[in-house]
Amino acid sequence: MKELTAKKRDRTRESRGEKPKEPGPEPAAAAEAESGQPEEDSGRQDLNTLEDIREHVKQIEKAVSGKEPRFVLRALRALPSTSRRLNPNVLHKAVSGFYTSNAASKEFLLSFLEEPMDTEGDVQFRPRTGKAAATPLIPEVEAYLQLLLVVYLTNNKRYTEAQKVSDDLLQKISSQNRRALDLVAAKCYYYHCRVYEFLNQLDAVRSFLHTRLRTATLRHDSDGQATLLNLLLRNYLQYNLYDQAEKLVSKSVFPELANNNEWARYLYYTGRIKAIQLEYSEARRTLTNALRKAPQHTRRGLQTNSVRTGNLAKFNQVLDQFGEKFQTDGTYTLIIRLRHNVIKTGVRMISLSYSRISLADIAQKLQLDSPEDAEFIVAKAIRDGVIEASINHEKGYVQSKETMDIYGTREPQLAFHQRISFCLDIHNMSVKAMRFPPKAYNKDLESAEERREREQQDLEFAKEMAEDDDDSFP
């Protein structure tokens, strides 16, 4: 019966056009296919990464030959996405493929990488063949490839090895005086300091940064100046050297041609310095500009609703919850100073809500220790111009004054002027940041041959006019 049933099943499949299943270890074959799929995907991803590195090297070489730094910017702009795909296999092939004429540098860089495992179907990466293989790498390409190794070692927390590679890289860069190397050098300075920061040796590079800043200023290297100034400010703030940081800011000029990221860092550091020096108005202005220039897709920080609404209880709750985080970020001192702003905002909200209120009620609403503390705080708020009120010390209450018409003062005019100035500054910076095609100004200009031809035609036309004038006389 089983055989007849199997035969009927096979006939039914043949009539439907289906093939009978062949006996065999299907689960094992499927498992082999599944296990080989990740290897193929990783190999394809490594090949794409190597092709991207080859393209970036071409962009850098094009920038050097054509003296167009915007091509270097394209390669450096893709550095974050490229660094996430780096692995020993990719770096080993890249170093072996590009360092074809410098065996010493090649061996030095390969000593920090593991030997890749040979796999079937592995494609050789040979970006330099023929005569190109015998020519040495230009300093810009060599610095870029070595920078990739520094980034890879830093991302994998191999800081001691990254320090050795970065020290060698900065020694090579310091001996060069090439304008095309400035953009790559600025990025190398940044990662060099990051490595030393992870090793808790940030003070060791301070004198080096001062030397490079002096050199960048003399060479009018705006990108290097901006990066080195920010690195020095970060270095000082890391060790709470606010006086030295303020002197550096006062005696240096931040280049206007710096990119938005460097401007955002500089404004953030100067805002921290101004806040420590109790210049809160200037600190607020610089920090607000830093937020405007910072990337908008990043995650926002803690909410500041407690500061805006004057809720001291919520402020203390946030301080207890995130105190360790604030100490790690080095902003705990500034957060503690915000407590006075919270109380001042609370006093302003109370003054707007009540025309007359006792000091005991103010102390209760602001969670102060006693009415005497509330009296001192309200008196200081009145003296600073935060509120318009008077204190009755005998009866212990605060009497708010009638609010005056703000449009009768100069405040609307000043606010309007401030907004116009801000819009004009944005327009001026946008015009400066605009990029134009190379030699675009020559499109409407005539060449020398065209000019000679036009002058010749003008002379001939002038002669014809003169002959016509002569013929017109009798």
Side-chain angles (χ1 to χ4, degrees), residues 300 303-311 342 345-346 348-349:
R300 293 186 63 185
Q303 295 289 333
T304 58
N305 292 332
S306 59
V307 181
R308 294 173 182 170
T309 60
N311 192 335
V342 176
T345 305
R348 186 189 300 116
M349 299 295 290

Side-chain angles (χ1 to χ4, degrees), residues 403-416 419:
T403 56
M404 61 183 301
D405 184 13
I406 194 172
Y407 291 99
T409 63
R410 293 188 59 203
E411 283 196 27
Q413 180 183 359
L414 295 175
F416 194 55
R419 294 182 182 183

Side-chain angles (χ1 to χ4, degrees), residues 19 46 59 216 255 291 317 351 361:
K19 294 181 180 181
D46 291 350
Q59 294 287 344
L291 284 174
Q317 180 183 354
S351 176
D361 292 338

Side-chain angles (χ1 to χ4, degrees), residues 233 237 240-250 269-283 333-334 337:
L233 290 176
L237 296 182
N240 297 325
L241 301 174
Y242 291 97
D243 291 337
Q244 288 88 329
E246 200 277 331
K247 289 179 182 178
L248 177 64
V249 171
S250 62
Y269 294 141
T270 53
R272 285 185 59 182
I273 295 169
K274 297 298 182 183
I276 290 294
Q277 294 177 340
L278 305 180
E279 299 180 16
Y280 293 120
S281 299
E282 187 67 17
T333 305
L334 295 177
R337 290 187 179 184

Side-chain angles (χ1 to χ4, degrees), residues 445-462:
L445 299 179
E446 57 184 359
S447 62
E449 295 180 0
E450 293 174 346
R451 185 175 64 255
R452 285 194 295 268
E453 184 178 353
R454 179 178 56 79
E455 291 175 353
Q456 185 67 26
Q457 291 177 354
D458 293 341
L459 288 174
E460 293 177 357
F461 182 71

Side-chain angles (χ1 to χ4, degrees), residues 352-381:
L352 294 174
S353 303
Y354 299 92
S355 60
R356 177 176 174 178
I357 187 173
S358 64
L359 295 172
D361 292 338
I362 294 177
Q364 182 180 359
K365 289 181 178 295
L366 296 180
Q367 295 185 353
L368 301 176
D369 295 334
S370 64
E372 287 77 13
D373 292 343
E375 185 176 358
F376 293 143
I377 290 173
V378 171
K380 189 176 186 305

Side-chain angles (χ1 to χ4, degrees), residues 87-93 95-96 106-107 109-119 122 124 152 158:
N87 56 49
N89 185 28
V90 170
L91 288 172
H92 197 284
K93 288 184 178 180
V95 172
S96 302
K106 177 181 176 181
E107 293 298 326
L109 298 179
L110 291 180
S111 64
F112 298 95
L113 297 170
E114 301 84 0
E115 191 71 24
M117 296 179 61
D118 295 332
T119 57
D122 196 4
Q124 294 293 328
Y152 167 75
R158 297 164 60 179

